[in-house]
Amino acid sequence: MVLKQIKILQENLLLWYEKNGRKNLPWRNLESENCDERLKDISRAYGVYISEIMLQQTQVKSVLEKFYFPFLQKFPTLQSLADCDEDELLKAWQGLGYYSRARNLKQAALECVSKFNGKLPRQVRDLKSLSGIGAYTAGAIACFGYDEKVSFVDGNISRVLSRLFALKNPSMNELEIKAKKLLNLNDAFNHNQALLDLGALVCLPKSAKCGICPMYDFCKGKYEPQLYGKKKKIIYENLNLKLFLLEFKHKFGVQKSQDKLYKGMYNFPFFKEEEIVFENAKFLGEFKHSYTKYKLNIKIYHKILKDEDINYEFKSLEELESTALSALSLKALKSVKL
């Protein structure tokens, strides 16, 4: 693609974004005249950082409606993250899943305090040195938080570029080179926001809306968009589990997980279906749950203990409300009446 074509493409993209972009998203207006009143004291780079980490595995609508504002109200600065109790942090993250993201937030905050005077650095190389921040997130913070003229590639931008240049199995390095080539140095902020929105609203994984795409005239993959930007199909493993609500003196036994997935979160004890544990427990019901590569069928049992089991912490229903329960255990608790 020659320079003249790139310039036209950039102009088309910004015109489209001006009319159709999601410019009202709160993390796009931090420290501007359109800033949400609830975020007036949140630094732009920090607000962008939190949004990017939340959006890694969660839809925009869910982040916006349930998590972004409450989290920033509780943790308005990097210093507040650095100082927080991990249980409190995980409770605030409850429902977002992939809890290593929350733990990395705290670790990165500690690193910023020790290395960067308690602030997020503005250079991509320094941002990438922080826990939980990869190339895309570093670029997004640098551009959207500090107006740095940098490009980056996430899943949406990857799909847009793959189709634009008809790349079936491009490497990340190849995509990053293409993104840098297309970057509008006169307005990197809106250019990058536009690419993200184009992938989210027009250049969809299925049923791409090629007819309204501002890149249509230049796109090499527009006639067969399904050939480009394919996601790897997840192969799920089915598991049958038994989950126990162990009651002692009107309190219920939970364990703090040490496993990678739910590390730091509390779980009701659960076991594989074939394991024989807690005999004569009462069956309460079952539900389905999925995470990463697993599809689970969970059967819930209730057993009143005569003696306290030292393997568990026992908490009342009221205490459980303020406990960082895993999504699995939270779903179990909501699915039964105690």
Side-chain angles (χ1 to χ4, degrees):
M1 193 178 293
V2 298
L3 189 61
K4 184 177 180 180
Q5 289 177 313
I6 291 175
K7 186 172 178 56
I8 296 172
L9 183 150
Q10 290 171 343
E11 291 173 352
N12 288 352
L13 186 61
L14 288 182
L15 283 171
W16 175 85
Y17 181 66
E18 181 59 32
K19 293 180 180 178
N20 304 287
R22 298 175 294 180
K23 297 187 293 295
N24 62 333
L25 291 175
W27 44 84
R28 296 189 180 181
N29 294 298
L30 291 156
E31 297 181 353
S32 76
E33 60 182 14
N34 297 320
C35 180
D36 189 288
E37 185 69 20
R38 291 168 288 182
L39 303 175
K40 63 179 182 179
D41 296 321
I42 303 296
S43 77
R44 178 152 67 112
Y46 179 67
V48 167
Y49 171 43
I50 298 302
S51 74
E52 291 296 342
I53 299 300
M54 286 186 172
L55 291 166
Q56 284 176 4
Q57 301 287 347
T58 312
Q59 293 183 340
V60 169
K61 182 179 179 181
S62 183
V63 168
L64 193 57
E65 292 180 354
K66 300 178 183 178
F67 300 106
Y68 188 64
F69 291 106
F71 189 88
L72 286 176
Q73 184 177 19
K74 196 168 192 66
F75 304 109
T77 62
L78 276 172
Q79 189 65 56
S80 64
L81 275 180
D83 294 339
C84 77
D85 176 75
E86 186 175 286
D87 284 352
E88 184 183 16
L89 174 61
L90 292 175
K91 177 62 181 176
W93 200 262
Q94 184 175 286
L96 278 162
Y98 296 90
Y99 293 96
S100 60
R101 292 183 292 168
R103 292 191 295 274
N104 281 331
L105 281 175
K106 179 175 172 64
Q107 184 58 38
L110 290 168
E111 292 162 1
C112 286
V113 170
S114 66
K115 299 177 184 177
F116 301 108
N117 297 316
K119 295 181 180 180
L120 283 161
R122 65 184 302 140
Q123 299 301 321
V124 169
R125 64 177 181 274
D126 292 330
L127 287 162
K128 286 169 67 176
S129 74
L130 299 174
S131 295
I133 295 184
Y136 162 73
T137 305
I141 295 169
C143 179
F144 304 146
Y146 292 116
D147 293 315
E148 292 291 306
K149 298 176 181 181
V150 296
S151 57
F152 42 81
V153 177
D154 78 330
N156 279 330
I157 294 177
S158 171
R159 186 168 58 256
V160 170
L161 296 176
S162 295
R163 288 170 173 169
L164 179 63
F165 294 101
L167 306 171
K168 285 191 177 180
N169 294 295
S171 66
M172 182 53 68
N173 182 59
E174 188 175 2
L175 290 168
E176 287 174 346
I177 290 171
K178 296 292 188 186
K180 188 174 182 179
K181 184 178 180 181
L182 291 183
L183 182 63
N184 187 336
L185 296 175
N186 294 319
D187 194 351
F189 184 101
N190 285 318
H191 172 90
N192 285 322
Q193 297 284 17
L195 280 178
L196 290 171
D197 282 2
L198 194 67
L201 304 175
V202 175
C203 195
L204 303 172
K206 297 178 181 179
S207 304
K209 302 175 183 178
C210 297
I212 61 171
C213 180
M215 293 186 173
Y216 182 85
D217 291 342
F218 306 99
C219 184
K220 294 180 179 180
K222 60 192 173 189
Y223 297 119
E224 295 182 293
Q226 70 279 3
L227 296 180
Y228 310 99
K230 286 184 177 180
K231 278 188 175 182
K232 289 183 180 179
K233 188 174 182 179
I234 300 174
I235 300 175
Y236 289 96
E237 180 180 346
N238 294 311
L239 287 177
N240 295 315
L241 300 177
K242 297 185 292 189
L243 181 146
F244 290 87
L245 299 173
L246 302 176
E247 184 176 352
F248 178 71
K249 293 184 177 179
H250 306 295
K251 293 188 175 185
F252 297 88
V254 290
Q255 281 179 317
K256 197 169 188 178
S257 176
Q258 298 303 315
D259 295 336
K260 184 178 179 181
L261 181 69
Y262 284 138
K263 189 175 180 181
M265 302 293 288
Y266 283 88
N267 277 306
F268 295 115
F270 59 87
F271 305 87
K272 291 182 179 178
E273 189 176 41
E274 61 271 18
E275 293 182 75
I276 300 175
V277 288
F278 306 116
E279 293 181 341
N280 302 317
K282 180 182 178 182
F283 175 69
L284 296 182
E286 59 188 301
F287 66 94
K288 296 188 183 300
H289 184 70
S290 61
Y291 66 86
T292 60
K293 63 178 183 178
Y294 298 101
K295 285 191 176 295
L296 308 176
N297 186 66
I298 312 291
K299 291 185 177 180
I300 309 171
Y301 294 87
H302 177 226
K303 184 176 178 65
I304 297 177
L305 302 178
K306 293 181 180 179
D307 301 298
E308 187 172 5
D309 191 322
I310 61 171
N311 294 309
Y312 306 104
E313 294 180 46
F314 285 81
K315 296 177 179 286
S316 66
L317 290 175
E318 185 178 352
E319 289 170 326
L320 288 174
E321 289 181 4
S322 58
T323 299
L325 287 176
S326 70
L328 170 64
S329 291
L330 193 62
K331 188 181 288 188
L333 191 60
K334 289 181 176 179
S335 68
V336 296
K337 291 183 179 180
L338 295 170

